[in-house]
Amino acid sequence: MSSAPSSSRPPGLDPAIAARLKRNPEGLFPAIAQQYDTGEVLMLAWMDDEALHRTLTTGRCTYYSRSRGEYWVKGETSGHAQYVKSVALDCDGDTVLVKVDQVGAACHTGDRTCFDAGPLPSAGPDA
Protein backbone atom coordinates (compact mmCIF):
# COMPACT_ATOMS: atom_id res chain seq x y z
CA MET A 1 0.00 0.00 0.00
CA SER A 2 1.40 3.41 -0.90
CA SER A 3 1.56 6.44 1.31
CA ALA A 4 0.12 9.74 0.23
CA PRO A 5 1.70 13.11 0.83
CA SER A 6 0.05 15.26 3.40
CA SER A 7 0.12 18.97 3.94
CA SER A 8 -0.47 18.41 7.65
CA ARG A 9 2.62 18.22 9.81
CA PRO A 10 3.64 14.74 10.96
CA PRO A 11 4.36 14.48 14.68
CA GLY A 12 8.12 14.17 14.21
CA LEU A 13 8.84 17.22 12.06
CA ASP A 14 9.99 20.23 14.06
CA PRO A 15 7.07 22.71 14.09
CA ALA A 16 9.47 25.61 13.40
CA ILE A 17 10.64 23.90 10.19
CA ALA A 18 7.10 22.95 9.15
CA ALA A 19 5.96 26.55 9.62
CA ARG A 20 8.64 27.79 7.19
CA LEU A 21 7.75 25.36 4.39
CA LYS A 22 5.72 26.46 1.38
CA ARG A 23 4.15 23.50 -0.37
CA ASN A 24 2.39 23.07 -3.71
CA PRO A 25 -1.29 22.05 -3.72
CA GLU A 26 -0.26 18.39 -3.39
CA GLY A 27 1.74 19.18 -0.23
CA LEU A 28 5.10 18.81 -1.99
CA PHE A 29 8.19 20.96 -2.45
CA PRO A 30 11.31 20.44 -4.59
CA ALA A 31 14.51 19.08 -3.08
CA ILE A 32 17.81 19.63 -4.85
CA ALA A 33 20.58 17.14 -4.11
CA GLN A 34 24.11 18.52 -4.38
CA GLN A 35 27.44 16.75 -3.86
CA TYR A 36 28.71 18.27 -0.61
CA ASP A 37 32.41 18.53 -1.47
CA THR A 38 32.37 19.50 -5.17
CA GLY A 39 29.14 21.49 -5.43
CA GLU A 40 27.99 19.28 -8.33
CA VAL A 41 24.20 19.44 -8.74
CA LEU A 42 23.03 15.82 -8.79
CA MET A 43 19.26 15.75 -9.08
CA LEU A 44 15.91 17.26 -8.23
CA ALA A 45 13.17 15.26 -6.55
CA TRP A 46 10.10 15.96 -4.44
CA MET A 47 9.56 15.87 -0.69
CA ASP A 48 6.71 16.45 1.69
CA ASP A 49 6.89 17.00 5.43
CA GLU A 50 7.28 13.29 6.16
CA ALA A 51 10.04 12.80 3.58
CA LEU A 52 11.92 15.77 5.03
CA HIS A 53 11.47 14.43 8.55
CA ARG A 54 12.85 11.04 7.48
CA THR A 55 15.78 12.70 5.69
CA LEU A 56 16.65 14.80 8.73
CA THR A 57 16.41 11.92 11.20
CA THR A 58 17.91 9.00 9.26
CA GLY A 59 20.80 10.66 7.43
CA ARG A 60 19.58 9.14 4.14
CA CYS A 61 17.61 11.07 1.50
CA THR A 62 13.95 10.13 1.39
CA TYR A 63 11.78 11.48 -1.41
CA TYR A 64 8.15 11.22 -2.48
CA SER A 65 7.58 9.64 -5.88
CA ARG A 66 4.75 11.39 -7.66
CA SER A 67 4.52 8.65 -10.30
CA ARG A 68 4.48 5.74 -7.82
CA GLY A 69 2.64 7.59 -5.06
CA GLU A 70 5.04 6.43 -2.34
CA TYR A 71 8.15 7.33 -0.37
CA TRP A 72 11.53 6.09 -1.52
CA VAL A 73 14.98 6.15 0.02
CA LYS A 74 17.63 7.00 -2.55
CA GLY A 75 19.76 3.91 -3.12
CA GLU A 76 17.49 1.49 -1.29
CA THR A 77 17.15 -0.70 -4.39
CA SER A 78 19.98 0.56 -6.61
CA GLY A 79 22.72 0.82 -4.00
CA HIS A 80 23.43 4.38 -5.21
CA ALA A 81 22.81 6.02 -1.86
CA GLN A 82 22.83 9.62 -0.74
CA TYR A 83 24.25 10.24 2.73
CA VAL A 84 23.10 13.58 4.13
CA LYS A 85 25.78 16.10 5.10
CA SER A 86 23.51 19.15 5.54
CA VAL A 87 20.01 20.38 4.73
CA ALA A 88 18.99 23.99 4.08
CA LEU A 89 15.74 25.70 3.25
CA ASP A 90 15.84 28.52 0.70
CA CYS A 91 14.83 32.10 1.50
CA ASP A 92 11.25 31.60 0.27
CA GLY A 93 10.75 28.32 2.10
CA ASP A 94 9.73 26.54 -1.09
CA THR A 95 12.86 24.52 -1.94
CA VAL A 96 15.21 22.36 0.10
CA LEU A 97 18.91 21.95 -0.69
CA VAL A 98 20.33 18.65 0.54
CA LYS A 99 24.11 18.40 0.45
CA VAL A 100 24.99 14.73 0.21
CA ASP A 101 27.79 12.28 -0.26
CA GLN A 102 26.57 10.46 -3.38
CA VAL A 103 27.59 6.82 -3.77
CA GLY A 104 27.36 5.75 -7.41
CA ALA A 105 25.03 7.31 -9.95
CA ALA A 106 22.45 9.87 -8.84
CA CYS A 107 20.29 9.56 -11.97
CA HIS A 108 17.95 6.64 -12.64
CA THR A 109 19.55 6.39 -16.11
CA GLY A 110 22.88 5.45 -14.54
CA ASP A 111 24.51 8.83 -15.17
CA ARG A 112 26.44 10.54 -12.38
CA THR A 113 23.90 13.40 -12.34
CA CYS A 114 20.48 13.99 -13.84
CA PHE A 115 22.05 16.92 -15.72
CA ASP A 116 24.62 14.94 -17.73
CA ALA A 117 22.61 15.23 -20.97
CA GLY A 118 24.51 18.40 -21.84
CA PRO A 119 23.74 22.09 -21.92
CA LEU A 120 20.93 23.53 -24.00
CA PRO A 121 21.81 26.13 -26.60
CA SER A 122 21.32 29.64 -25.30
CA ALA A 123 21.85 33.19 -26.53
CA GLY A 124 23.92 34.13 -23.50
CA PRO A 125 27.11 36.21 -23.74
CA ASP A 126 29.29 33.10 -24.12
CA ALA A 127 27.13 31.54 -26.87
Side-chain angles (χ1 to χ4, degrees):
M1 183 182 329
S2 63
S3 302
S6 171
S7 60
S8 64
R9 177 178 33 86
L13 187 63
D14 182 321
I17 296 170
R20 294 174 57 198
L21 291 171
K22 292 183 185 166
R23 305 156 192 86
N24 71 11
E26 291 77 36
L28 303 172
F29 46 88
I32 299 167
Q34 180 181 35
Q35 178 64 33
Y36 81 100
D37 54 354
T38 65
E40 180 180 30
V41 177
L42 300 169
M43 59 180 276
L44 180 139
W46 294 90
M47 288 186 175
D48 66 359
D49 290 32
E50 178 62 19
L52 179 58
H53 170 68
R54 292 180 188 187
T55 297
L56 292 170
T57 58
T58 66
R60 295 279 307 275
C61 286
T62 300
Y63 301 107
Y64 185 80
S65 171
R66 297 175 300 161
S67 60
R68 294 188 311 259
E70 64 187 13
Y71 296 101
W72 57 281
V73 177
K74 182 67 175 168
E76 196 169 57
T77 57
S78 69
H80 299 164
Q82 292 177 342
Y83 296 98
V84 177
K85 296 294 188 174
S86 67
V87 181
L89 188 58
D90 80 339
C91 60
D92 296 323
D94 62 3
T95 304
V96 172
L97 175 64
V98 186
K99 292 190 179 185
V100 301
D101 188 9
Q102 176 70 47
V103 175
C107 188
H108 71 282
T109 65
D111 286 337
R112 170 72 183 161
T113 85
C114 292
F115 301 98
D116 279 347
L120 300 176
S122 68
D126 295 330

